[in-house]
């Protein structure tokens, strides 16, 4: 019998309706793809972020902590209708002094957090989890 999916439902963990755009990147650690992070948008300007973990690779890689995720729940996917901690710690805040100069260095015209993570590989502080664009 297949294992039943575990999903915790609440208002901040529910997908937006009518998704028309999805961008996905791999989360890499010690040579393993430990999961994916996706930004989903609809025509109304709403967005959500979906983190899907590959628990088998996560264990093989050494159990890295993913910011903002309750690893004990071991959910199939974590949905956020706000910018998740994993993204916040790897991108620039809209209020940063010199934001547009930093974005310009990467060839960006606006603070596209998903694209910023992909172009910088999501490098940040002590976390060794990197972000690599998923080619489909």
């Amino acid at each position: 019998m297949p294992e039943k999916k575990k999903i915790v439902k609440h208002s901040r963990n529910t997908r937006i309706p009518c998704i028309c755009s999805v961008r996905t990147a791999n989360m890499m650690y010690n040579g393993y793809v430990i999961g994916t992070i996706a930004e989903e948008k609809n025509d109304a300007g709403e967005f959500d972020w979906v983190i899907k973990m590959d628990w088998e690779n996560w264990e093989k890689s050494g159990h890295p902590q993913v910011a903002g995720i309750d690893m004990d729940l071991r959910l199939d996917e974590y949905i956020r209708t706000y910018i998740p901690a994993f993204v916040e710690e790897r991108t620039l805040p809209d209020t940063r002094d010199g934001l547009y100069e930093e974005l310009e260095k990467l060839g960006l015209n606006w603070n596209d957090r998903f694209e910023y993570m992909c172009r910088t590989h999501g490098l940040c502080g002590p976390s060794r989890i990197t972000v690599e664009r998923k080619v489909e």
Side-chain angles (χ1 to χ4, degrees):
M1 180 177 219
E3 189 176 314
K4 187 177 178 180
K5 282 189 165 192
K6 297 180 276 184
I7 305 258
V8 176
K9 292 281 187 188
H10 56 77
S11 64
R12 296 184 77 173
N13 196 22
T14 304
R15 274 206 163 87
I16 58 170
C18 306
I19 296 167
C20 62
S21 171
V22 179
R23 299 186 293 175
T24 306
N26 290 322
M27 297 164 44
M28 306 289 299
Y29 188 77
N30 286 344
Y32 291 93
V33 176
I34 61 165
T36 61
I37 183 156
E39 179 193 49
E40 301 176 331
K41 292 183 176 181
N42 65 19
D43 287 337
E46 298 171 311
F47 68 90
D48 63 37
W49 291 83
V50 181
I51 296 174
K52 292 183 180 181
M53 296 299 297
D54 179 329
W55 292 111
E56 187 175 325
N57 278 352
W58 177 79
E59 288 177 6
K60 289 178 190 174
S61 74
H63 308 92
Q65 180 60 43
V66 178
I69 299 300
D70 184 343
M71 309 306 278
D72 293 334
L73 291 176
R74 295 277 181 124
L75 300 179
D76 295 322
E77 56 186 29
Y78 297 81
I79 303 165
R80 302 292 186 257
T81 54
Y82 54 90
I83 299 170
F86 181 83
V87 175
E88 286 228 350
E89 72 181 16
R90 286 168 168 74
T91 59
L92 301 174
D94 290 333
T95 56
R96 181 183 175 123
D97 286 338
L99 172 66
Y100 290 99
E101 290 81 5
E102 291 294 323
L103 296 175
E104 191 175 288
K105 290 177 188 176
L106 294 171
L108 296 172
N109 296 325
W110 61 283
N111 198 6
D112 180 341
R113 290 178 185 252
F114 182 86
E115 190 61 31
Y116 185 91
M117 276 195 312
C118 290
R119 292 188 187 188
T120 62
H121 300 285
L123 299 173
C124 78
S127 176
R128 293 188 358 243
I129 299 172
T130 60
V131 177
E132 297 184 12
R133 190 181 315 276
K134 187 172 181 176
V135 179
E136 301 203 34

